[in-house]
Amino acid sequence: MTPRAPSMAPADRRDALVGVTLQLLREHGRDVTTRQIAEAAGIAEGTIFRVVACKEDLVDAAIARAFEPGDLVDRIEGIDAALPLRERLVLLASIFQERVQATFALMQKVGLVRPPDHQHDSEAAEAWRTQVAALMTAVVGDDVERLDVPVDHFVHVLRLLCFAGSHQHIADGRLLSPEEIVDTVLHGHLRTERRG
């Protein structure tokens, strides 16, 4: 017999179920069952319906969570500012590539062709894009003076290349490595050092 999860407040139970459902969606897509969710959460199947009206409410909440920042901010802020610029940018590109690939894989698994509207076309989405640009600019740090373009353009191009180079269809199945992404952007936007 599966051990049962401890008692939780409804909001906490729902939050936990959303997390479990998101993991299962990555494996089973929308075919995930409430039985699978309950087993993974260590609860009786009926407990699910004490916190959501139907499975689709849980699925929708899980998909919405996949587009939230999660630990992205902490991971970017954790990049060591003492590293050389290229190393910092490779770490940044790796973080973005992991996120993009996980998001695209989930979208394909659940049949989405674009993010949910509230995650794409809202004031919150615009605020998030602004925050990401600021985080990326902070990773560039004092090396901003080495760029031959404005830093906002540099981080925009880097982000676009991370997106396009990490998408199987856009990249024609030839994904770019984080190193290729960074070298492409750096070689195009670093000032040529003056000689002598």
Side-chain angles (χ1 to χ4, degrees):
M1 179 177 211
T2 306
R4 294 295 178 204
S7 179
M8 290 184 175
D12 294 337
R13 173 71 69 202
R14 184 182 187 282
D15 186 61
L17 286 171
V18 168
V20 167
T21 303
L22 178 54
Q23 294 308 311
L24 291 170
L25 284 174
R26 295 186 190 282
E27 183 179 349
H28 303 285
R30 290 184 183 272
D31 291 335
V32 66
T33 66
T34 52
R35 182 176 185 172
Q36 290 169 316
I37 295 168
E39 286 177 1
I43 60 172
E45 193 171 357
T47 304
I48 292 172
F49 301 106
R50 292 185 187 142
V51 294
V52 293
C54 62
K55 182 187 90 169
E56 283 309 308
D57 287 349
L58 205 48
V59 167
D60 290 345
I63 291 170
R65 179 174 291 178
F67 289 92
E68 293 172 359
D71 68 347
L72 191 66
V73 172
D74 290 340
R75 292 183 69 198
I76 294 172
E77 288 178 340
I79 296 173
D80 184 355
L83 292 171
L85 176 62
R86 181 179 182 274
E87 289 182 43
R88 293 194 312 269
L89 294 177
V90 166
L91 288 171
L92 179 63
S94 298
I95 291 167
F96 275 120
Q97 189 166 64
E98 289 170 16
R99 166 113 174 159
V100 166
Q101 289 175 341
T103 301
F104 285 140
L106 176 67
M107 288 174 66
Q108 184 174 24
K109 205 71 165 161
V110 299
L112 287 178
V113 294
R114 58 174 284 172
D117 287 340
H118 67 281
Q119 298 290 334
H120 184 69
D121 297 325
S122 67
E123 286 182 24
E126 182 56 36
W128 170 239
R129 284 189 284 273
T130 300
Q131 183 181 4
V132 168
L135 289 165
M136 294 176 76
T137 299
V139 171
V140 175
D142 292 340
D143 286 302
V144 68
E145 296 185 14
R146 298 175 61 201
L147 305 179
D148 67 357
V149 295
V151 69
D152 63 329
H153 181 73
F154 179 83
V155 298
H156 174 72
V157 171
L158 179 61
R159 190 169 178 197
L160 282 178
L161 202 51
C162 286
F163 178 87
S166 303
H167 189 290
Q168 283 288 344
H169 298 298
I170 295 172
D172 296 324
R174 296 165 49 194
L175 299 182
L176 299 176
S177 70
E179 292 79 8
E180 289 173 307
I181 291 167
V182 169
D183 288 342
T184 299
V185 178
L186 277 180
H187 291 311
H189 295 301
L190 272 185
R191 285 191 180 135
T192 304
E193 303 290 14
R194 294 183 179 179
R195 297 183 183 178

